[in-house]
Amino acid sequence: MARRVFAISLWPGLIAAALVALLSLGTLAAVALRAESFSALNRFDWLAVRFTLVQAALSAALSVGFAIPAARALARRRFRGRTLLVTLLGAPFILPTIVAILGLTAVFGRSGAVSVLLGWAGFEPISIYGFHGVVLAHVFFNLPLATRLLLQGWGTIPAERFRLAAALQFGPRDLFRHIEIPMLREIVPGALTVIFLICTTSFAVALTFGGGPRATTVELAIYEAFRYDFNLGKASLLALIQVLICVAAALVSLRFGVPQIGQVGLDRTVQRFDAAGIGTRSADAFWMALVSLFLLAPLVAIALRGATGLADLPAPVWEAALRSLLTALGSAALAIVLSLTLALSALRWRWLEGVGMTAIAASPLVMGTGLYIMLFAVTDPANWALLITALVNAAMSLPFILRALGPALATAERDYGRLADSLGMTGRTRLRFVLLPRLGAPLGFSAGLAAALSMGDLGVITLFARPDSATLPLQIYRLMGSYRMDQAMGAALLLLGLSLALFYIFDLWGRRRA
């Protein structure tokens, strides 16, 4: 019966899978056909490869290293505002990259708060540009992600383990060694590989804080070969190297993606008997304060400085904001249609969901380069800048949306599928009255996530945009390049507000329809 019911839904799913395969694999094929021999790369290109690997590895190690004591402190403390603090840890994931960059510059730049304090103490101001700036920005984005992942790991440890440790009079070190370290062995490798994958495909951070022979990533080298030299052969070869790095990291992340901790308890409330000492209290307070200050200070700086520049924004900024808003809405709609059709068809053919997940190993700039090569022979790719940006952003958000929609859709079909079969509800009727009403919350969350990610994207648009077709993130980058920092801060505050508003509106709509 299930095959007859979902026969109508299979063709849209196959079409969606073909489109995703074209974006992730077809663009790669176009890039491969245009690529030249490895002899076309010079020493600086191989330095970019080494820099990409080194900064990604160090960023992942620092993010997870600082996340361990922070997550441990949150796991064994209960205090007013804890829920809000944990929620704020998810904010950098939807925070526009260019906004975070401006915030970090306001705090750690040569004229930022940290440099001012160092000047008062008699030290030279610091520079945020170069290797350490790239690593600092990546830690800012990925420390919250690592903390959330590790905090979930601590939540899987049964309460009985801590009660037994208290009965055996374990101290904090003994408890960490015998109970918490085995959990970390399961969680940490997956967190490291996921963050490494994210850092290898980071573009806006390297574009702003990097540059030069010693601070250029492969993504940035692709952009420079494409934008400045228009050397499609070299850009294609670099794109292939980037794909190989992403595929290798993705395979490792899949190996560690779902930790199997294997701890079962009676769901009792966890009591941490090791948290009463003054030493542990001081250490936990220190780490929570340090992480909170590191994450919130750039956002506060954006709010304070952006409020003064918001009223002085030129007309091109507002026009760019409108283009970004339309692009984000189009990208969210396209992402929902693609993911929903793939998830529906995956109820019968599971491999279709795997096609949608291939975007996790793809690079947005590789997709953009491949699409440019495909379109260059028949039309001017710049005429399709916003459409291509929306399309690539939709593809890049598919892995996250499928993880939200797929399990919810499978649960709805498992619970109500036989009843719908007995009533003869097929096709659109089944989708409208049985499945969609039970997908309100994940649909709203997914649409908000896709819209917010697209709103703050500074990637593909840099390859295609003309001066009169920039999105808001690109316009902010141009304001920064012309040293109009007050207007850049005001535009960043506008971008932050629009991104959070899109996520909140869609998420609220979904929860109300749930």
Side-chain angles (χ1 to χ4, degrees):
M1 179 63 71
R3 292 188 177 184
R4 179 178 66 82
V5 168
F6 288 102
I8 298 177
S9 301
L10 289 180
W11 282 111
L14 291 174
I15 294 173
L19 179 59
V20 174
L22 175 65
L23 288 173
S24 57
L25 303 178
T27 54
L28 176 60
V31 164
L33 293 175
R34 191 61 187 261
E36 301 172 356
S37 64
F38 280 92
S39 61
L41 299 181
N42 55 37
R43 184 174 67 91
F44 298 108
D45 298 322
W46 291 111
L47 285 177
V49 176
R50 187 181 71 175
F51 178 83
T52 300
L53 298 175
V54 171
Q55 63 84 20
L58 182 59
S59 299
L62 290 176
S63 299
V64 175
F66 284 110
I68 289 175
R72 191 188 191 199
L74 287 170
R76 62 184 178 184
R77 297 295 168 189
R78 296 295 182 268
F79 54 91
R80 184 174 299 178
R82 180 183 180 276
T83 302
L84 177 61
L85 178 59
V86 173
T87 302
L88 289 175
L89 291 178
F93 189 74
I94 62 172
L95 184 68
T97 306
I98 195 68
V99 174
I101 288 171
L102 276 170
L104 290 171
T105 304
V107 176
F108 297 99
R110 293 189 64 86
S111 59
V114 174
S115 292
V116 171
L117 293 176
L118 289 176
W120 288 347
F123 297 98
E124 292 293 325
I126 60 176
S127 174
I128 197 174
Y129 299 99
F131 176 80
H132 53 282
V134 173
V135 173
L136 176 69
H138 283 158
V139 173
F140 174 80
F141 282 110
N142 296 298
L143 174 60
L145 174 61
T147 304
R148 291 291 295 268
L149 291 174
L150 295 175
L151 188 58
Q152 292 177 4
W154 254 284
T156 62
I157 300 177
E160 289 77 13
R161 299 286 181 90
F162 296 106
R163 296 171 65 89
L164 178 60
L168 296 175
Q169 296 183 351
F170 276 13
R173 291 183 180 180
D174 297 324
L175 192 147
F176 183 71
R177 176 184 177 185
H178 295 287
I179 294 181
E180 295 174 326
I181 284 184
M183 177 274 297
L184 292 175
R185 287 174 181 168
E186 297 288 342
I187 299 290
V188 166
L192 284 172
T193 51
V194 168
I195 295 173
F196 178 88
L197 177 62
I198 294 173
C199 293
T200 55
T201 58
S202 174
F203 170 70
V205 170
L207 180 66
T208 307
F209 291 147
R214 295 184 178 181
T216 298
T217 61
V218 176
E219 291 269 292
L220 185 55
I222 295 171
Y223 170 76
E224 291 174 347
F226 184 95
R227 192 71 175 176
Y228 299 137
D229 303 330
F230 200 69
N231 189 341
L232 293 180
K234 182 178 180 179
S236 301
L237 188 55
L238 288 169
L240 283 179
I241 294 175
Q242 175 73 347
V243 168
L244 292 177
I245 294 174
C246 292
V247 169
L251 291 176
V252 176
S253 68
L254 290 176
R255 165 65 177 83
F256 296 106
V258 183
Q260 302 293 331
I261 299 177
Q263 298 178 353
V264 180
L266 300 177
D267 294 331
R268 294 179 177 176
T269 302
V270 175
Q271 292 179 280
R272 296 298 300 263
F273 302 95
D274 61 320
I278 186 64
T280 57
R281 288 184 179 181
S282 301
D284 291 346
F286 169 78
W287 285 108
M288 287 188 290
L290 181 65
V291 170
S292 301
L293 182 63
F294 178 63
L295 296 178
L296 297 180
L299 299 181
V300 173
I302 287 290
L304 294 178
R305 293 190 58 181
T308 59
L310 193 60
D312 193 31
L313 294 179
V317 173
W318 295 103
E319 296 171 359
L322 179 59
R323 283 191 289 269
S324 288
L325 188 60
L326 295 176
T327 303
L329 293 175
S331 179
L334 185 59
I336 290 299
V337 171
L338 289 175
S339 58
L340 187 58
T341 52
L342 282 172
L344 282 169
S345 299
L347 292 176
R348 177 175 176 183
W349 291 336
R350 294 288 300 173
W351 60 270
L352 286 175
E353 185 176 352
V355 174
M357 297 296 292
T358 56
I360 197 173
S363 163
L365 283 187
V366 173
M367 286 189 185
T369 304
L371 290 173
Y372 190 98
I373 293 172
M374 292 178 182
L375 295 174
F376 185 72
V378 294
T379 185
D380 184 2
N383 296 331
W384 305 86
L386 296 182
L387 179 60
I388 292 173
T389 301
L391 186 61
V392 172
N393 287 337
M396 297 306 297
S397 63
L398 275 181
F400 307 106
I401 298 177
L402 285 173
R403 288 293 85 200
L405 284 183
L409 186 62
T411 299
E413 175 62 21
R414 183 184 67 246
D415 294 342
Y416 299 98
R418 292 185 178 180
L419 177 60
D421 291 344
S422 66
L423 297 175
M425 301 179 70
T426 63
R428 296 180 180 178
T429 303
R430 188 186 189 113
L431 179 64
R432 178 182 177 186
F433 293 104
V434 178
L435 299 178
L436 284 182
R438 286 152 188 87
L439 297 178
L443 276 176
F445 172 81
S446 300
L449 179 63
L453 293 178
S454 179
M455 190 76 194
D457 177 68
L458 180 62
V460 179
I461 191 64
T462 59
L463 299 178
F464 294 89
R466 295 192 179 101
D468 58 345
S469 62
T471 57
L472 186 53
L474 183 56
Q475 193 67 35
I476 294 172
Y477 178 73
R478 290 174 178 174
L479 290 173
M480 293 173 62
S482 59
Y483 298 100
R484 298 157 67 181
M485 295 305 297
D486 289 338
Q487 292 183 347
M489 286 289 187
L493 184 59
L494 175 63
L495 176 59
L496 177 61
L498 290 174
S499 300
L500 295 179
L502 283 174
F503 179 79
Y504 176 77
I505 291 172
F506 278 114
D507 187 44
L508 180 63
W509 171 83
R511 284 187 280 111
R512 287 186 174 180
R513 290 181 60 88

